[in-house]
Amino acid sequence: MSKFWSPLVKSLVPYVPGEQPKMANLVKLNTNENPFGPSPKVIEAIQSELSDSLRLYPDPEGESLRQTIAGYHNVKPEQVFLGNGSDEVLAHIFYALFQHGQPVLFPDVTYSFYPVYCGLYNIEGKTVPLTDSFEINPEDYKQPNGGIIFPNPNAPTGRYLGLEHVEAILQANSERVVVVDEAYIDFGGESSIKLVDQYPNLLVCQTLSKARSLAGLRVGFAIGHPDLIDALNRVKDSFNSYPLDRLAQAGAKAAYEDEAWFQKSCNGVISERERVTEALEGLNFEVLPSMANFVFARHKEKSGDSLSKALREQGIIVRHFNKPRISEFLRITIGTPVQNDALITGLKTL
Ligand SMILES: Cc1ncc(COP(=O)(O)O)c(C=O)c1O
């Protein structure tokens, strides 16, 4: 705290990212990175971009990448907005589309950045409790609001909401923007992008950090009606016109041009998720059904806190949230088969 801080900065409660430990040989299953790595074509594309052209600013509109993403998802380039990771896209969404003098709705158990953006932009947030089985109930979103946001699949629960239920929320809120944060959609869910032409109030947000294994490159995007995208561009161009550097634009484009790698990576995560789920259930865990690259599990006898500490002593890092309703759970990222074996063996010894 300093006398130089503004009152807003004094009041901020910033997001706490999952730990990025510096120790070697850790089994790192705490931040939902993809263990299978990016396509070699991404590395090639980035290497060929490493040239004298770096003295020039990148394309502020990311035209070529937007065309690639639009083509991939069967929408028009003017329906695509790019950002420095989906976190930046989400921040712009809160600023551009959620300031309507009524509370923004999101689940009580969800991505913990949403309340942080509310604090940053002085937006009122209202949490809507998940059901006892940690599901989103669309009926609960029939109430006055200044916008709605939820991840699908939800994080950290991993639970997926079928498109018919997403549509129910959209239909009940046609006067407000509904944002579906699809950071984990490629691990088995069906994307709401196919609904954007039908619902002008729908904005879908995705990232290349998870299924395309590019968390370090920082690329995310939103897809929706061109009017919503215009609003985001107005904020972007009032903040930083060049959110994606040349390397990020080249690498991200190449990621979309290697479908075989993408499919193999997603399928690898899905089959390991099933194996880990079964093993955890065999060890007396309750595991929520997950459509993400992590599982959310609680042991029927041992506390989440004690298990995460004991795993850590074995060099295995998982995420534990000391928060209401979920303090008994561990969020475990699906790793490589070798990492997952280490987790299972580690838990057996406990
Ligand atoms: C639900 C959800 N949305 C968005 C993000 C942000 O992803 P990124 O900024 O890496 O694109 C995350 C990251 O873990 C997430 O869990």
Side-chain angles (χ1 to χ4, degrees):
M1 187 85 76
S2 145
K3 64 179 178 184
F4 299 116
W5 289 14
S6 68
L8 173 71
V9 165
K10 282 184 196 156
S11 74
L12 286 182
V13 184
Y15 176 72
V16 183
E19 192 188 350
Q20 296 292 346
K22 303 284 180 290
M23 296 101 85
N25 300 326
L26 282 179
V27 178
K28 189 175 174 305
L29 304 176
N30 67 330
T31 46
N32 297 343
E33 287 136 337
N34 183 328
F36 297 118
S39 153
K41 292 187 180 154
V42 170
I43 314 294
E44 265 169 48
I46 292 175
Q47 272 163 349
S48 58
E49 196 62 32
L50 284 172
S51 69
D52 181 58
S53 66
L54 284 181
R55 73 192 173 78
L56 300 172
Y57 283 105
D59 175 3
E61 264 93 53
E63 189 60 37
S64 175
L65 175 57
R66 277 175 43 237
Q67 272 171 11
T68 299
I69 292 176
Y72 187 88
H73 287 293
N74 210 10
V75 296
K76 299 189 194 80
E78 58 268 30
Q79 291 177 281
V80 181
F81 175 81
L82 300 173
N84 188 270
S86 57
D87 279 341
E88 187 185 76
V89 177
L90 292 168
H92 290 345
I93 289 171
F94 272 72
Y95 196 72
L97 300 166
F98 281 169
Q99 310 216 44
H100 293 290
Q102 279 179 310
V104 173
L105 307 182
F106 44 82
D108 62 338
V109 178
T110 197
Y111 187 36
S112 39
F113 229 134
Y114 303 155
V116 175
Y117 296 131
C118 284
L120 179 61
Y121 297 130
N122 214 357
I123 298 168
E124 190 191 341
K126 181 172 176 193
T127 54
V128 181
L130 296 174
T131 64
D132 289 344
S133 49
F134 294 95
E135 286 174 285
I136 288 173
N137 177 3
E139 286 298 308
D140 297 338
Y141 289 81
K142 291 184 176 166
Q143 53 172 304
N145 65 75
I148 294 173
I149 183 164
F150 57 90
N152 196 25
N154 195 6
T157 64
R159 296 218 67 160
Y160 171 72
L161 186 69
L163 289 198
E164 69 279 19
H165 301 300
V166 174
E167 283 201 80
I169 295 176
L170 284 161
Q171 285 162 6
N173 293 280
S174 57
E175 295 305 306
R176 288 292 183 242
V177 174
V178 176
V179 178
V180 185
D181 176 354
E182 293 190 337
Y184 303 100
I185 196 67
D186 296 312
F187 301 108
E190 196 181 356
S191 173
S192 295
I193 290 176
K194 63 164 64 149
L195 302 175
V196 292
D197 287 337
Q198 215 176 321
Y199 295 97
N201 60 328
L202 168 63
L203 197 57
V204 182
C205 198
Q206 289 198 0
T207 177
L208 278 74
S209 298
K210 312 294 177 181
R212 291 176 202 271
S213 203
L214 288 170
L217 203 64
R218 310 307 301 130
V219 184
F221 61 90
I223 291 186
H225 190 279
D227 289 350
L228 302 183
I229 303 301
D230 263 358
L232 298 178
N233 277 320
R234 290 171 75 94
V235 173
K236 175 203 123 197
D237 288 325
S238 308
F239 177 75
N240 173 13
S241 300
Y242 305 103
L244 291 193
D245 61 46
R246 285 175 170 271
L247 307 185
Q249 292 190 29
K253 194 168 152 65
Y256 277 90
E257 287 161 359
D258 194 349
E259 181 66 14
W261 184 275
F262 166 71
Q263 292 294 345
K264 194 167 156 228
S265 177
C266 294
N267 290 336
V269 169
I270 292 168
S271 69
E272 277 299 292
R273 180 180 72 207
E274 281 158 19
R275 190 172 74 87
V276 170
T277 302
E278 221 169 272
L280 290 174
E281 283 169 350
L283 289 168
N284 217 12
F285 276 91
E286 177 200 352
V287 187
L288 298 189
S290 170
M291 286 281 232
N293 68 340
F294 56 84
V295 290
F296 204 47
R298 68 177 148 198
H299 196 265
K300 293 184 182 148
E301 285 150 24
K302 293 189 185 276
S303 79
D305 186 45
S306 70
L307 280 174
S308 85
K309 285 184 178 141
L311 282 172
R312 196 185 176 85
E313 277 167 24
Q314 302 184 20
I316 302 166
I317 316 277
V318 300
R319 191 106 196 241
H320 172 249
F321 299 92
N322 203 1
K323 288 188 175 170
R325 288 191 81 185
I326 57 169
S327 60
E328 290 314 316
F329 281 87
L330 298 177
R331 193 197 67 190
I332 305 170
T333 303
I334 301 302
T336 59
V338 172
Q339 290 177 312
N340 299 332
D341 282 345
L343 168 84
I344 295 161
T345 312
L347 283 171
K348 276 186 187 155
T349 65
L350 299 173

